[in-house]
Amino acid sequence: GESVGLHLPTLSVQEGDNSIINCAYSNSASDYFIWYKQESGKGPQFIIDIRSNMDKRQGQRVTVLLNKTVKHLSLQIAATQPGDSAVYFCADRSWGSNYKLTFGKGTLLTVNP
Amino acid sequence: GAVVSQHPSRVICKSGTSVKIECRSLDFQATTMFWYRQFPKQSLMLMATSNEGSKATYEQGVEKDKFLINHASLTLSTLTVTSAHPEDSSFYICSARPTGGRTSYEQYFGPGTRLTVT
């Protein structure tokens, strides 16, 4: 079946730097994308979402970019902080899927002080 | 608002026994809830979709007789792992979709339940 995948399994950055986490998806019917943050032993925490009719969406310190032409999604975190250290997952939903989400493999972000 | 709880947070059981995990939406009603399983250093894999008042829909490869789901009310779904074996040890996470939510995209996750089968 279709799935959402990630290019990089791990990312290590210095505190204060900007982080970019990438995600490739394969389902051309995907119409909604979400980024989640998961800390060890906890459930996923919503970060930001974007619909397929948008290219960019900004939140507090985070920006999601969507390139439908190449089926690519990225999460940019500005001024990364130690508290940002976690695993980040992208997920997608396709129209008519009964709201089911397909999760990517995840990227472990480590922020060094 | 939009808090989802799970109980227990951790459970250890002996092989061959059954374990029930509860998922509750605390401040909203959820017609639909989802159950995921996550193995160490892996992603979340959807196991089943739980619908209030009807049978759950299981994903391909998930044994419905082994993973019993009951969505008896608009705020509670339960997952029972029957005849548990060590390979069932995993992190089980539920999510809930608010009934009549602001958009059709909202889904809130619980904190997860760590199951260890010895």
Side-chain angles (χ1 to χ4, degrees):
Chain A
E2 307 273 14
S3 66
V4 180
L6 290 173
H7 294 303
L8 297 173
T10 61
L11 177 64
S12 183
V13 300
Q14 292 298 123
E15 182 177 359
D17 287 351
N18 296 331
S19 301
I20 300 177
I21 300 172
N22 296 302
C23 178
Y25 66 96
S26 57
N27 188 351
S28 57
S30 296
D31 65 350
Y32 176 60
F33 305 85
I34 317 171
W35 281 101
Y36 289 97
K37 172 186 180 183
Q38 186 181 29
E39 297 175 311
S40 181
K42 298 183 179 180
Q45 176 186 354
F46 173 90
I47 300 175
I48 192 168
D49 59 359
I50 188 169
R51 300 188 189 188
S52 59
N53 61 352
M54 303 171 67
D55 297 322
K56 179 179 180 179
R57 191 164 187 224
Q58 288 185 295
Q60 186 176 11
R61 284 202 305 121
V62 294
T63 300
V64 55
L65 299 177
L66 175 62
N67 186 330
K68 295 180 289 294
T69 301
V70 296
K71 295 188 179 67
H72 185 268
L73 191 70
S74 69
L75 175 69
Q76 301 178 1
I77 305 175
T80 315
Q81 304 168 359
D84 295 327
S85 295
V87 177
Y88 289 81
F89 293 98
C90 62
D92 81 306
R93 191 206 78 148
S94 60
W95 186 86
S97 67
N98 194 27
Y99 313 107
K100 294 192 298 184
L101 297 176
T102 300
F103 279 78
K105 295 180 181 179
T107 292
L108 173 61
L109 174 65
T110 302
V111 182
N112 303 307
Chain B
V3 177
V4 176
S5 70
Q6 285 185 237
H7 178 79
S9 58
R10 289 177 174 272
V11 57
I12 300 173
C13 71
K14 292 185 181 297
S15 184
T17 61
S18 296
V19 175
K20 179 184 286 188
I21 303 170
E22 293 184 348
C23 177
R24 293 182 185 272
S25 55
L26 298 185
D27 48 4
F28 65 96
Q29 294 184 330
T31 305
T32 304
M33 293 184 175
F34 301 90
W35 286 97
Y36 297 83
R37 181 167 51 182
Q38 184 179 32
F39 292 108
K41 299 187 187 303
Q42 294 189 23
S43 188
L44 283 74
M45 295 298 295
L46 180 65
M47 298 175 66
T49 302
S50 172
N51 299 297
E52 188 269 336
S54 64
K55 291 183 179 181
T57 304
Y58 291 82
E59 294 301 300
Q60 190 174 6
V62 178
E63 300 175 58
K64 62 179 181 181
D65 294 329
K66 180 170 182 62
F67 299 99
L68 301 179
I69 292 173
N70 187 338
H71 195 148
S73 77
L74 287 172
T75 59
L76 172 64
S77 175
T78 61
L79 170 68
T80 301
V81 182
T82 63
S83 186
H85 291 285
E87 56 265 31
D88 298 323
S89 298
S90 188
F91 194 49
Y92 291 86
I93 305 171
C94 73
S95 69
R97 177 177 170 270
T99 301
R102 179 178 59 84
T103 73
S104 65
Y105 307 105
E106 294 178 332
Q107 198 176 126
Y108 301 98
F109 283 82
T113 295
R114 174 74 60 192
L115 170 63
T116 303
V117 185
T118 61

